[in-house]
Amino acid sequence: MDLPEEILAHIFSFLPLQDKCNAFTVCKAWSNIMTHPSSWKDTEVRCESGTSVPERYSALLSLVRNLKLIMSLTDPANRKTALWVLRQAIARGDGRLQGLSICCVGNTPLFYAGQDLQQGLVDILTNGSSLTLLDLKGVPFTLSDSFVRSVAMLCPALQSLYVNNHSLVCGVNAETLRQVLKSCRSLNILGVFQASLSQDVFKDLMLPERPALKKLELRCERSLKYTLPLCDQIWLELKLRHPRLWVELELDHTLPELHVPGVLQPSIPVRCLRLLTWTLLLNEVRIVGQSYATTLEFLELQTTASSELNYVLIALAKQCIKLQEVHCYCVVSQEVITAFITNCPNLYRYTLKTHKEPHPWTCTKLK
């Protein structure tokens, strides 16, 4: 109770909504502090079966600056509650909501289960939006072209947009992405399916009036079969235009093996790489060591154990000395572990096992 109100308000800002509500009932002093705007700056709201948002706290939701909505899709009532929360944060506010992240848990009962959520989000944003960050990576359903175009038009202040969610298919084409770049002129962090990219999109990203592109997250999956591959030259030009750009690549298990080498172009400034293909990956790991030695900091592999894999991983450890994390979800030799610890001075966390363990495997922290 001797802590200043500002410090307590900052501490309370890290609590999810239910714990914020509980803090109201502790004492009068805490109740007063919980009405401080700082207590609501970052707020997580869970909309799951059996949970609800008390009506008396609706006015305080307008104080939220960064909102994370976690909902279960098994019950339509959960989506309805989530939209109600979002409406309080936007419609009753003064345009202060800056960041919105939506994450869905549980099994999606039908492939079109998110249509009401997409339309509801558009309807709410129509009332006015000052969003600078929108993260939809956690939604499992396909995001349509019309939805993404509407969001871009309604949120012109966006600086960060993530639509690289784990949908079965890519629903955003290159022309839609070009419209997003045209509507959101301050956009400098972008997460999309690689199938949404094209040479015209790259040309738009390289226009002199665009701000410096900081980060590009790309999800590579089966849709790449139906698009023209991006040549290394255009990646080189993009890197020259945006020298501080770093790229995160995620290769999904649905990506055909023959398309993997075409994705791993040498001029991509890859800092984070997830090879989740469950293929042998021997040649791919060799390419990684040769092409991304000066940039790679995070590596995740889902592959098959072999003596050849041990050999190429040891070679990679000697090449990619900037690695901070490496996670390989198959058994490796002790020599592999020693090679990463010895050659990568910045390594602070890894998942490298010499024998199988029960799922989930635990990682080892060095620092």
Side-chain angles (χ1 to χ4, degrees):
M1 299 305 298
D2 293 331
L3 288 174
E5 289 187 3
E6 293 79 6
I7 301 298
L8 279 175
H10 180 68
I11 294 172
F12 290 155
S13 71
F14 293 94
L15 297 176
L17 179 64
Q18 190 56 51
D19 290 336
K20 291 182 191 287
C21 296
N22 292 338
F24 263 106
T25 64
V26 171
C27 62
K28 185 176 181 180
W30 278 30
S31 179
N32 291 333
I33 294 171
M34 287 305 300
T35 60
H36 195 285
S38 297
S39 298
W40 293 84
K41 180 181 178 182
D42 302 290
T43 299
E44 174 189 301
V45 181
R46 302 188 71 93
C47 303
E48 299 173 294
S49 298
T51 63
S52 61
V53 180
E55 180 74 29
R56 64 182 181 276
Y57 299 129
S58 61
L60 293 171
L61 290 173
S62 64
L63 300 175
V64 178
R65 299 296 168 267
N66 299 294
L67 175 63
K68 182 174 183 180
L69 279 174
I70 301 176
M71 73 189 79
S72 172
L73 291 179
T74 55
D75 187 349
N78 297 322
R79 300 194 293 276
K80 184 177 180 181
T81 301
L83 290 174
W84 179 85
V85 170
L86 184 56
R87 190 173 294 108
Q88 309 312 306
I90 292 181
R92 291 195 177 188
D94 54 1
R96 296 182 182 180
L97 187 67
Q98 298 175 352
L100 173 62
S101 174
I102 299 178
C103 183
C104 301
V105 295
N107 296 324
T108 307
L110 297 169
F111 72 92
Y112 54 82
Q115 296 302 313
D116 57 344
L117 182 60
Q118 292 187 58
Q119 186 57 52
L121 183 58
V122 169
D123 292 341
I124 293 170
L125 293 176
T126 302
N127 294 326
S129 170
S130 58
L131 286 181
T132 59
L133 180 150
L134 179 60
D135 186 349
L136 300 175
K137 289 190 295 183
V139 300
F141 42 79
T142 301
L143 302 173
S144 66
D145 278 312
S146 59
F147 168 75
V148 175
R149 286 173 183 252
S150 297
V151 166
M153 289 188 293
L154 295 170
C155 306
L158 277 176
Q159 299 176 18
S160 303
L161 174 64
Y162 298 92
V163 290
N164 50 327
N165 63 320
H166 282 203
S167 169
L168 291 176
V169 293
C170 171
V172 181
N173 61 39
E175 285 306 310
T176 294
L177 192 53
R178 295 188 70 190
Q179 184 61 47
V180 169
L181 295 174
K182 184 178 179 180
S183 301
C184 307
R185 299 186 180 275
S186 299
L187 201 64
N188 55 36
I189 297 177
L190 185 60
V192 294
F193 286 75
Q194 183 158 333
S196 300
L197 298 179
S198 68
Q199 292 199 17
D200 288 334
V201 171
F202 272 66
K203 291 177 181 178
D204 290 346
L205 287 170
M206 289 186 282
L207 291 173
E209 62 267 24
R210 289 211 63 85
L213 190 61
K214 297 179 181 178
K215 181 182 178 183
L216 194 57
E217 281 192 18
L218 300 178
R219 183 163 182 262
C220 311
E221 39 69 68
R222 73 183 81 194
S223 301
L224 283 179
K225 295 189 296 183
Y226 311 107
T227 61
L228 294 175
L230 296 168
C231 64
D232 188 60
Q233 179 61 31
I234 199 160
W235 277 109
L236 179 60
E237 294 173 6
L238 184 69
K239 188 169 62 174
L240 292 174
R241 169 64 178 84
H242 303 285
R244 295 188 178 183
L245 169 68
W246 65 275
V247 176
E248 177 176 329
L249 284 178
E250 178 183 337
L251 278 65
D252 186 76
H253 69 279
T254 62
L255 179 68
E257 186 175 1
L258 60 90
H259 289 270
V260 174
V263 172
L264 301 176
Q265 296 291 343
S267 294
I268 306 177
V270 178
R271 186 181 294 185
C272 176
L273 178 61
R274 291 181 169 89
L275 296 174
L276 313 179
T277 63
W278 291 110
T279 53
L280 292 177
L281 294 178
L282 298 178
N283 291 331
E284 289 77 6
V285 173
R286 293 189 183 99
I287 293 173
V288 171
Q290 295 166 2
S291 301
Y292 311 136
T294 60
T295 59
L296 192 63
E297 296 180 1
F298 179 100
L299 177 64
E300 181 179 357
L301 301 173
Q302 289 182 351
T303 183
T304 304
S306 68
S307 56
E308 293 85 357
L309 179 67
N310 291 332
Y311 177 79
V312 296
L313 284 177
I314 291 173
L316 181 138
K318 296 177 181 178
Q319 295 168 310
C320 300
I321 59 174
K322 290 186 176 181
L323 274 170
Q324 298 179 13
E325 293 190 48
V326 57
H327 306 279
C328 183
Y329 295 102
C330 70
V331 173
V332 298
S333 66
Q334 181 60 48
E335 289 73 18
V336 170
I337 301 176
T338 302
F340 279 105
I341 294 176
T342 303
N343 295 285
C344 305
N346 297 324
L347 190 70
Y348 74 91
R349 191 164 65 172
Y350 66 83
T351 306
L352 299 167
K353 304 293 182 180
T354 56
H355 59 276
K356 290 185 178 180
E357 292 183 0
H359 179 78
W361 285 7
T362 56
C363 65
T364 301
K365 294 183 179 180
L366 296 177
K367 301 178 182 179

